[in-house]
Amino acid sequence: MALTAALAGCVTSTPPLSVDEIKTWKVVSVEGIVAPVARSGWMSAAHDFRKLKGLEIIVKPSEERGLPQQIIEPALPLEEYRAYIASQFSQRVKTSFIGPLQGGLHGTRPVRIVVSMHDALILDGNARFGATLLSGQSGDENTLTASIDVVDARTGKTLLTFPQSVTKGTGGALGLALGGGPIIESDPMIRMLNSLRERFTAWLLKRA
C-alpha cells in the first residue's frame, strides 16, 4: 500500500476569521484520524501490526536451486489494521500538537483540533536503502498528506479547515527535530507532524 498520488504542498489561502477571534479559542483536545479512502505506506507501523497479530512475513528457501527465496506475506485484516494505524497516528498527533497549541491558544471558546491523514509514505530501512540506490536522494523521502479541522467543542461545527497538503521529510529512525534546537526526534512521522504543525500555526495567525 504505497502512496500513489502527490498533491500540492503549498497552502496560500488565509483563514476567513480575524486573529482576535482565533485568539478566543481554547484547545481542549487534539486527535488524529485516518480519512475514509486513506492509503498508507507507513512500513514500520505495518511491521509492528504484523508482529502484534503474529502475521510476520516469512522468507523460505526456494525448493529449486538457483531460484530466489520465497516471500510469504500473510494478508492483513484491513479493518483491524486501519484502526491500528489510526491509533498510532493519533498518538503522534497529540505528541506533536497538543502542547504548542494549548500554549498558544488559551482563550475561553473550547475547540478541538482534528488532523486527518489522507496518505503516508515512510519506508523501512531495507526499502529505503533499495529506493535510494535506485533513485538517489528521492528514495530517502517520506511524505504525509493531511488536512486539519478546527471544530467547536460545544456545537460540533467546523470553524476552519486547513486544506489538504503534503509535508515532506527524510530519513528513518534518526533526524533533527523540525522547529529548531538541538533536540533529536527519532520518529519520522512526528518529524513531519512537527513541520505540519508549524505551517498550520503560521497560516492560522496570518491576517488577510
Side-chain angles (χ1 to χ4, degrees):
M1 293 179 290
L3 181 65
T4 57
L7 305 178
C10 297
V11 178
T12 57
S13 58
T14 301
L17 297 170
S18 70
V19 172
D20 288 339
E21 185 174 355
I22 290 170
K23 286 182 177 179
T24 67
W25 294 348
K26 178 181 180 180
V27 177
V28 295
S29 70
V30 176
E31 64 180 300
I33 63 174
V34 176
V37 294
R39 292 163 291 181
S40 174
W42 186 1
M43 289 189 175
S44 62
H47 294 330
D48 290 343
F49 178 77
R50 286 185 180 280
K51 185 175 181 180
L52 180 67
K53 295 295 181 180
L55 298 171
E56 292 94 335
I57 296 174
I58 301 171
V59 180
K60 297 176 63 177
S62 175
E63 295 179 358
E64 297 185 34
R65 186 175 180 180
L67 294 179
Q69 293 175 317
Q70 294 177 313
I71 299 176
I72 302 172
E73 187 172 342
L76 293 173
L78 293 181
E79 290 303 318
E80 286 186 69
Y81 178 57
R82 181 183 179 82
Y84 178 81
I85 289 293
S87 172
Q88 295 299 307
F89 181 66
S90 190
Q91 289 176 27
R92 287 161 172 79
V93 167
K94 291 174 183 177
T95 297
S96 174
F97 276 66
I98 196 164
L101 291 189
Q102 285 186 334
L105 296 172
H106 40 73
T108 57
R109 184 180 186 179
V111 298
R112 297 167 40 233
I113 306 296
V114 181
V115 182
S116 299
M117 185 181 87
H118 299 273
D119 286 287
L121 178 62
I122 302 176
L123 300 179
D124 63 9
N126 291 333
R128 187 178 305 282
F129 178 74
T132 302
L133 285 179
L134 291 173
S135 57
Q137 183 62 32
S138 62
D140 195 39
E141 184 175 88
N142 303 318
T143 58
L144 168 67
T145 304
S147 59
I148 304 173
D149 291 309
V150 181
V151 180
D152 188 301
R154 293 194 182 106
T155 66
K157 177 184 177 182
T158 298
L159 303 175
L160 204 61
T161 296
F162 182 72
Q164 188 177 140
S165 64
V166 172
T167 301
K168 296 183 179 181
T170 58
L174 294 175
L176 288 174
L178 299 176
I183 299 174
I184 300 296
E185 173 52 62
S186 63
D187 190 311
M189 176 62 84
I190 292 180
R191 292 203 299 269
M192 288 192 290
L193 285 169
N194 288 346
S195 178
L196 173 64
R197 185 199 70 233
E198 290 180 355
R199 290 192 295 115
F200 169 67
T201 302
W203 173 83
L204 192 64
L205 299 180
K206 182 179 179 182
R207 291 184 180 273

